[in-house]
Amino acid sequence: LFPADGRAMEALLQRADMAMYQAKNSGHGRFSFFSDDMNRQAQDRLTLETSLRAALREGVLQLHYQPQVRMDSGRLVSVEALARWTDGVLGEVSPARFIPLAEECGLIADLGRWALREACRQLAAWRAAGWTVPMVAVNFSPIAFHDLNLPSLVEEVLRQNALRPADLTLELTESAVLDAHPSTRKTIGQVRACGVGLAMDDFGTGYSSLSYLRSLPVGELKLDRSFVADLETSDAARAVSSAILAIGTSLG
C-alpha cells in the first residue's frame, strides 16, 4: 500500500511480490498484505543462502556418520553420512533448515555431489587406517535423480577411491519414487545396475505406492522414526511396523 510500504515504484512492486508469494505458500484462494516481518524473513533467507553458497564453495560443511548395526549381533553393517553445518556467524544451522533451502535455491545437486565425494573419501581413509567399515550410505534428493550423468559420476567417485559399488548405498525418499520427471526412473535403474545399493528412507510417511515398490530395485526399507518411537507404547505402531517388515522380507 502506498505510501506506508514505500514511495518508489520498484520498492512497492518488490514488496507486493513478497506478499503474493506469502499468499501462494499459505494455500489457494487467499490474499496477503506485505509486512515488515516478511521483509525480515526475506533478508534472513538471502543471508542464509549466501552463507550456504560460501560454505559449499569453501568446504565448511561436514559429514557426521551414524552407525547402522544388526540388532541380533550388534555388528556394524554400514554408516549413514549426515550433512552438518556450523557457520562462523550464524552458528549451528539445522539440516531441517538448510536442506530445504538448498532445494529451493538450486544448490541441492551440488550438496549431493559433495556428500558423495566426501563420504567415499572418508570410507577409503578409514579402511586405509585399518578400520572395518562395510559400507557408507548417502542421502540423495529426488532432484539429483533428474541428472542422467549421476550413474557415471557415482562410478567415477568409486573408482577414484578404490571402492566397489557394493560399498555404497544411496538413500532416496518416496517423493523420488513418485517423481514424474522422465529421467528419474531411468537414473535410478542405471545406478542400481552399477551394483550400488538403494534404500528407501522414511518409508510409510508419504504415499507409499506399493506398485512402485514392487517394480523398483530397492534393497532396503527404512521405517520413519514416528513408527519406531512408539513401538513400546502403541499397538498401532507395532502393527504397522510389523506389516512393513513383512512386506520388506517378502520382497527380499
Side-chain angles (χ1 to χ4, degrees):
L1 297 176
F2 174 87
D5 295 325
R7 292 181 173 275
M9 180 62 73
E10 183 179 347
L12 287 167
L13 285 172
Q14 181 186 36
R15 291 172 179 181
D17 201 47
M18 287 183 191
M20 178 188 70
Y21 279 105
Q22 175 73 23
K24 284 184 174 182
N25 291 335
S26 301
H28 298 290
R30 64 184 63 208
F31 61 86
S32 179
F33 287 100
F34 172 80
S35 68
D36 288 336
D37 193 45
M38 279 183 209
N39 202 27
R40 282 192 297 271
Q41 289 176 7
Q43 291 298 326
D44 289 346
R45 185 190 181 283
L46 181 60
T47 299
L48 193 64
E49 179 183 337
T50 302
S51 299
L52 181 57
R53 289 184 184 278
L56 270 170
R57 186 173 59 251
E58 297 166 11
V60 175
L61 294 173
Q62 292 182 320
L63 289 180
H64 289 193
Y65 296 88
Q66 177 172 291
Q68 298 177 345
V69 300
R70 286 189 61 92
M71 290 292 289
D72 55 1
S73 65
R75 181 173 59 88
L76 180 72
V77 294
S78 179
V79 292
E80 180 182 357
L82 303 170
R84 295 293 182 263
W85 177 25
T86 301
D87 183 76
V89 176
L90 301 172
E92 189 171 327
V93 184
S94 168
R97 190 178 175 199
F98 74 80
I99 298 295
L101 175 64
E103 291 183 336
E104 289 173 18
C105 64
L107 290 175
I108 196 66
D110 292 336
L111 184 61
R113 286 191 289 267
W114 164 80
L116 173 67
R117 294 184 186 279
E118 176 58 21
C120 290
R121 183 204 64 76
Q122 181 63 74
L123 180 60
W126 276 328
R127 291 180 174 180
W131 293 88
T132 303
V133 181
M135 186 191 305
V136 66
V138 180
N139 291 279
F140 261 67
S141 164
I143 297 171
F145 291 95
H146 296 177
D147 183 5
L148 290 172
N149 293 319
L150 179 62
S152 59
L153 171 66
V154 169
E155 290 182 317
E156 175 196 342
V157 172
L158 290 171
R159 187 169 54 251
Q160 288 173 345
N161 291 281
L163 298 176
R164 299 171 299 121
D167 295 329
L168 175 67
T169 293
L170 298 186
E171 297 194 0
L172 53 107
T173 59
E174 289 182 18
S175 56
V177 176
L178 299 170
D179 191 345
H181 193 282
S183 301
T184 300
R185 295 295 292 275
K186 181 178 180 180
T187 303
I188 290 175
Q190 288 179 341
V191 166
R192 187 68 189 97
C194 296
V196 171
L198 290 176
M200 186 177 291
D201 202 8
D202 296 336
F203 183 75
T205 57
Y207 296 100
S208 302
S209 174
L210 298 181
S211 61
Y212 278 113
L213 188 60
R214 179 188 62 186
S215 62
L216 274 176
V218 174
E220 183 179 337
L221 294 180
K222 300 182 68 179
L223 275 71
D224 183 69
R225 67 171 65 198
S226 61
F227 299 124
V228 181
D230 295 333
L231 277 180
E232 295 181 349
T233 57
S234 170
D235 291 339
R238 283 196 295 273
V240 171
S241 298
S242 295
I244 295 174
L245 288 169
I247 291 171
T249 301
S250 65
L251 290 173

